[in-house]
Amino acid sequence: MPRPRHLEQPQTTRGQCFYMCRFCDQWQATDKFSKDQLKAAEVQGTPSKPVAVCLACARLALQVDANRVADDDPDEEPEYASLPLESRFALVQAFTGEYEGMPAFSEDVLRRILSFVVLRPCPFVSDLGEGLFRCTACSRDFPSFVAVLQHIRTSQRHVRTLQAAAGLTGDRHAL
């Protein structure tokens, strides 16, 4: 006699772990990250701060848009000024729920709000506000958007870091 369906044990598979890509803010399965990025996420990651970059974002950053490079005028600085760090901090503090009449937003909601006022030109490049940028792969600061774009195109260290994040390590995958 067959067992009733409600008494059958469901077939379980091993639980799958997901990580949030720090560039696209999407939850991805572990197979969407390189081994180096998963290791960094395990060592440096906290539940509130994603540190890994998914393979798709890293590969996208490695592709050079030929039209954009050809159209860039080195003398013309794009008009872009992001929210200064102090203003970002004040925004987060205002919506923690400590002030009467101000709503308390969750961390995810605040992250989404800040994503509209902070430029993300490339993985491993941080917008420090007021036109300043920092390459976290090379530990260098840049005074303008044009300077950081030039760095992204020409820095071998930056390219190697992106290749490692994209899982393209070794000479046969060099771009």
Side-chain angles (χ1 to χ4, degrees), residues 122-134:
C122 180
F124 304 108
V125 174
S126 301
D127 179 1
L128 300 177
E130 298 177 332
L132 301 174
F133 296 89
R134 178 167 184 81

Side-chain angles (χ1 to χ4, degrees), residues 59-141:
R59 288 183 180 136
L60 179 67
L62 283 171
Q63 296 175 357
V64 177
D65 185 359
N67 294 334
R68 183 173 179 183
V69 172
D71 292 342
D72 282 350
D73 183 6
D75 297 330
E76 185 178 318
E77 177 92 16
E79 290 185 32
Y80 177 77
S82 65
L83 203 57
L85 287 177
E86 296 83 8
S87 299
R88 296 177 200 176
F89 183 72
L91 176 73
V92 170
Q93 288 296 332
F95 292 105
T96 59
E98 292 181 21
Y99 302 102
E100 192 173 326
M102 299 291 285
F105 292 153
S106 68
E107 181 182 330
D108 188 49
V109 171
L110 286 171
R111 186 187 318 269
R112 303 283 178 196
I113 291 170
L114 286 174
S115 71
F116 286 103
V117 296
V118 176
L119 179 66
R120 294 182 182 188
C122 180
F124 304 108
V125 174
S126 301
D127 179 1
L128 300 177
E130 298 177 332
L132 301 174
F133 296 89
R134 178 167 184 81
C135 176
T136 58
C138 304
S139 299
R140 289 184 56 198
D141 292 335

Side-chain angles (χ1 to χ4, degrees), residues 21-35:
C21 173
R22 76 174 183 194
F23 189 69
C24 66
D25 279 338
Q26 298 293 317
W27 288 100
Q28 306 278 352
T30 55
D31 63 337
K32 302 293 183 189
F33 293 92
S34 69
K35 291 178 184 175

Side-chain angles (χ1 to χ4, degrees), residues 45-62:
T46 63
S48 63
K49 183 179 180 188
V51 296
V53 175
C54 69
L55 294 170
C57 289
R59 288 183 180 136
L60 179 67
L62 283 171

